[in-house]
Amino acid sequence: MKLNYSYLLCGTCIVFGTSLIYLSYRSSSFGYVHWTAFSKEILAGNPLRRSQISPADLQRSLILERVQSLESACDSADLSAYQFNFYQVTSRFYVDKQANLSYCKVPKAGSSFMTEIFFALDKDEKNNSKNSILKSKSIDEIFEMSRNRVHMIGNSKLGATPMLNDKELNTTVLLVSRNPYSRLYSAYVDKFYLFGLVKTAMEISNKNKKRHSSCGYDVTFPEFLDHVITTAYGGYPINRHWAPVYLLCHACDVKYDVVSKMDTLSNDMESILDYTNVSYSTRSSLINIIHRKYENKTAISLINVYIKSWNQYKKLCPDFLEYLSKIWKSFKIQGKLRIDLLFPKRKFAKAIKGEININEVIAIFLEYMTKYKLTSGERKLQRRRALVKAFSTVSEETITKIQELYKLDFMLFQYDTSPPTVV
């Protein structure tokens, strides 16, 4: 039988090229120098097409393409023309030298998830410390903690620092970005539609001469954006939950080894864990949670913190059922519940009759999330529709100011500056 030498040569190139990728990638903290040129060829389809390499290798090449794009954009950007300043924000980095990972914490861009990852790395058997932060908790239990507790412990125990020193820069340094439009809307839903930043919500409401409703202050999305703009343009401190990532992470001053995005973080995490000092068992547990359990565990964590917030501010919303209906709507906005599901008022009324049973409340949410589960595509579409609807109420003048405030985030992380208008 004759061999087709062109096929043989192609096959040899594929095997050799993939091996070169793997070996080069492992030879540096995140393989940037060796990978850059080769990943360009992969993404361009020459000599290897995307379909001819493993998903893991493709994911790594995409991560490194973002690193290169960030560095190139920083080199070309006129940073001196940006009118907002680092003194307006409070930066926070997590560092785990033992695990070989540092991370710029960006609220509303997977920061709860990343803090939980750091907790899991801290309790790993490869960590020399015998005093794990959450020694008594399993990895599963870590991901069910309320977000308030997660951040409170994380900020005090995870070696949080406002800037990385030279030794910390020798670890794998990670940044996670998010589209400014979706990040702003997420901050609004979490902190103003529900009970989050109640004092700020009251100030916005008073400024607009509004009376609080039967359940909170009913700050609208445009009113929230006006507050964001007025504060930032006035030179005042910008809340971390919506401060530009460029400012929070000193994106053009710190050399990042990994640049991820909110919508690819779960997939990127497998590659990131490959470059941490973590045991196989911990890595496997984390991957299992990320791909199989995370949606439900996130829901448990969110409901816990939402109910605790209501307990703190229930004078502003005496009817707990009304607040539960707002949580129900927020879950639809987040793509956790189908948009056409009616609020099961009777079921919830039974669960909270007398003393509130949080476990029963959580069980009802999980029942509907499981029974009427959305596909990833449906979740994405539902979130997009909610985002488009929200921005349809925003004036062009406000959009222009938002674009200026976040112009470096749009540029450095390759997001479209156009507001979301099409589903």
Side-chain angles (χ1 to χ4, degrees):
M1 181 177 74
K2 285 187 177 182
L3 290 174
N4 187 321
Y5 285 99
S6 63
Y7 287 155
L8 180 61
L9 180 61
C10 181
T12 303
C13 287
I14 292 171
V15 173
F16 175 74
T18 305
S19 300
L20 178 61
I21 290 170
Y22 180 77
L23 291 172
S24 298
Y25 193 76
R26 298 289 294 194
S27 67
S28 64
S29 64
F30 211 80
Y32 176 70
V33 174
H34 301 282
W35 257 79
T36 302
F38 206 83
S39 65
K40 275 185 179 180
E41 293 184 289
I42 293 172
L43 294 167
N46 180 29
L48 301 177
R49 294 174 299 178
R50 292 187 181 212
S51 60
Q52 293 174 316
I53 64 171
S54 73
D57 284 338
L58 177 58
Q59 200 68 30
R60 292 185 189 111
S61 74
L62 291 170
I63 288 171
L64 290 170
E65 184 193 45
R66 294 187 206 119
V67 173
Q68 185 185 37
S69 295
L70 172 59
E71 293 184 352
S72 297
C74 284
D75 289 340
S76 62
D78 183 4
L79 302 178
S80 62
Y82 188 58
Q83 63 180 294
F84 307 98
N85 297 284
F86 292 107
Y87 71 75
Q88 291 182 265
V89 305
T90 303
S91 297
R92 187 169 291 136
F93 291 81
Y94 286 162
V95 180
D96 189 331
K97 294 178 185 176
Q98 188 65 34
N100 184 41
L101 186 64
S102 297
Y103 157 69
C104 174
K105 187 177 182 184
V106 179
K108 309 312 300 174
S111 64
S112 300
F113 170 75
M114 283 305 308
T115 304
E116 291 159 346
I117 292 287
F118 269 81
F119 287 156
L121 295 176
D122 175 74
K123 69 184 275 90
D124 184 67
E125 63 192 46
K126 286 192 174 185
N127 195 318
N128 292 332
S129 172
K130 295 181 180 179
N131 300 312
S132 173
I133 296 169
L134 298 172
K135 191 174 183 178
S136 63
K137 289 189 178 291
S138 68
I139 292 178
D140 269 45
E141 289 171 333
I142 287 172
F143 281 84
E144 291 179 0
M145 292 169 58
S146 76
R147 288 184 310 173
N148 286 354
R149 183 166 168 74
V150 165
H151 293 299
M152 180 184 70
I153 297 174
N155 292 341
S156 63
K157 301 290 187 181
L158 283 176
T161 177
M163 194 59 176
L164 300 177
N165 61 36
D166 290 341
K167 287 185 178 180
E168 292 161 347
L169 285 168
N170 287 331
T171 61
T172 298
V173 186
L174 165 67
L175 180 153
V176 182
S177 68
R178 185 174 184 178
N179 185 304
Y181 293 122
S182 64
R183 187 163 166 246
L184 282 165
Y185 188 50
S186 177
Y188 165 73
V189 172
D190 198 41
K191 302 300 178 184
F192 293 90
Y193 178 70
L194 298 172
F195 288 147
L197 299 174
V198 174
K199 184 179 178 181
T200 306
M202 181 181 69
E203 290 170 357
I204 295 172
S205 183
N206 289 341
K207 179 183 175 182
N208 289 283
K209 298 179 180 179
K210 295 171 67 175
R211 296 177 63 184
H212 77 78
S213 68
S214 59
C215 191
Y217 288 99
D218 281 354
V219 172
T220 66
F221 186 50
E223 287 169 350
F224 161 68
L225 292 181
D226 286 342
H227 169 75
V228 171
I229 290 167
T230 301
T231 303
Y233 278 79
Y236 299 105
I238 306 171
N239 188 289
R240 283 178 46 78
H241 290 88
W242 54 82
V245 177
Y246 164 74
L247 294 177
L248 284 174
C249 297
H250 295 260
C252 292
D253 299 315
V254 174
K255 183 172 176 58
Y256 286 95
D257 302 295
V258 187
V259 176
S260 183
K261 292 190 174 186
M262 175 71 171
D263 53 353
T264 66
L265 182 56
S266 59
N267 289 331
D268 292 344
M269 204 63 227
E270 291 195 46
S271 297
I272 295 165
L273 288 173
D274 285 341
Y275 296 90
T276 58
N277 183 30
V278 62
S279 67
Y280 176 79
S281 60
T282 296
R283 185 187 187 282
S284 298
S285 296
L286 287 172
I287 296 304
N288 182 49
I289 286 172
I290 291 168
H291 292 303
R292 296 184 183 180
K293 304 178 182 178
Y294 190 63
E295 277 298 319
N296 281 5
K297 290 188 176 296
T298 303
I300 293 170
S301 173
L302 285 172
I303 294 165
N304 270 315
V305 76
Y306 291 156
I307 291 176
K308 285 179 181 177
S309 295
W310 177 81
N311 275 321
Q312 186 177 356
Y313 298 109
K314 57 186 174 184
K315 286 184 179 180
L316 298 173
C317 185
D319 186 351
F320 186 48
L321 267 180
E322 187 175 358
Y323 195 68
L324 282 175
S325 72
K326 295 187 79 167
I327 298 174
W328 188 266
K329 183 178 178 181
S330 77
F331 268 40
K332 290 181 178 182
I333 291 169
Q334 296 173 59
K336 297 183 185 300
L337 286 170
R338 287 189 177 276
I339 195 68
D340 56 350
L341 286 177
L342 297 176
F343 177 65
K345 188 174 181 178
R346 288 185 180 180
K347 279 193 175 185
F348 280 119
K350 185 177 180 181
I352 65 173
K353 188 176 182 180
E355 187 176 347
I356 294 172
N357 188 321
I358 294 179
N359 289 331
E360 280 191 37
V361 169
I362 290 172
I364 294 170
F365 275 96
L366 293 182
E367 175 192 345
Y368 280 83
M369 286 174 62
T370 304
K371 188 175 180 180
Y372 305 100
K373 189 173 183 178
L374 291 101
T375 66
S376 60
E378 288 171 332
R379 279 197 300 273
K380 187 176 180 180
L381 180 61
Q382 194 164 295
R383 289 185 194 126
R384 178 69 182 181
R385 282 176 174 159
L387 188 66
V388 169
K389 184 177 180 180
F391 273 93
S392 69
T393 65
V394 180
S395 70
E396 288 186 16
E397 181 183 0
T398 297
I399 292 293
T400 300
K401 289 182 177 179
I402 290 294
Q403 289 168 336
E404 179 64 23
L405 174 58
Y406 294 93
K407 73 175 182 180
L408 289 179
D409 282 15
F410 286 117
M411 177 184 179
L412 300 181
F413 306 110
Q414 299 178 302
Y415 293 114
D416 185 2
T417 58
S418 303
T421 55
V422 180
V423 176

